[in-house]
Amino acid sequence: MSEAAIPWRGGDTGDADTQLNDERFGKAVTERNLDIDPAQARLQAQNSCADLGASTDNPANLDPFELARIVQKVEVKTNLSQEDAGSLIALSIEVYCPEFKASFGK
């Protein structure tokens, strides 16, 4: 599997980058008022990016049904609403696996 297909960057970009990403992610979760423990949110972000990476060899061509499955998985594991689980996934992509943003025309 290529480096591009392994999206989670939680530990491979250097401690300073990881800490900055974690802080940025935590701040965004707080700003969106998501009712989830920060450590749990980071875990779900890590798992979601890994699931996204496993779902396609081309991050710019993400299957919307696969994305919906991942949102539903986060919804069940965290007891967040579907909207909040979707927000958490969007934040995960923004901070930790931005190569998937191309799937959304960004």
Side-chain angles (χ1 to χ4, degrees), residues 8-92:
W8 173 248
R9 293 194 167 97
D12 64 356
T13 59
D15 290 339
D17 288 344
T18 299
Q19 184 176 359
L20 288 174
N21 282 344
D22 288 348
E23 288 173 6
R24 201 170 122 217
F25 182 74
K27 182 179 177 185
V29 167
T30 300
E31 287 173 354
R32 294 233 169 113
N33 201 28
L34 300 179
D35 186 22
I36 185 170
D37 176 73
Q40 177 68 5
R42 283 190 302 278
L43 175 64
Q44 293 306 315
Q46 177 181 7
N47 291 343
S48 297
C49 285
D51 287 347
L52 289 167
S55 72
T56 183
D57 289 332
N58 181 1
N61 191 25
L62 183 62
D63 180 354
F65 292 108
E66 184 63 20
L67 181 61
R69 184 193 67 77
I70 293 168
V71 169
Q72 185 177 40
K73 182 177 170 182
V74 169
E75 183 182 354
V76 168
K77 288 186 173 204
T78 63
N79 290 321
L80 290 172
S81 68
Q82 183 177 18
E83 182 178 341
D84 285 351
S87 291
L88 186 65
I89 298 297
L91 293 173
S92 302

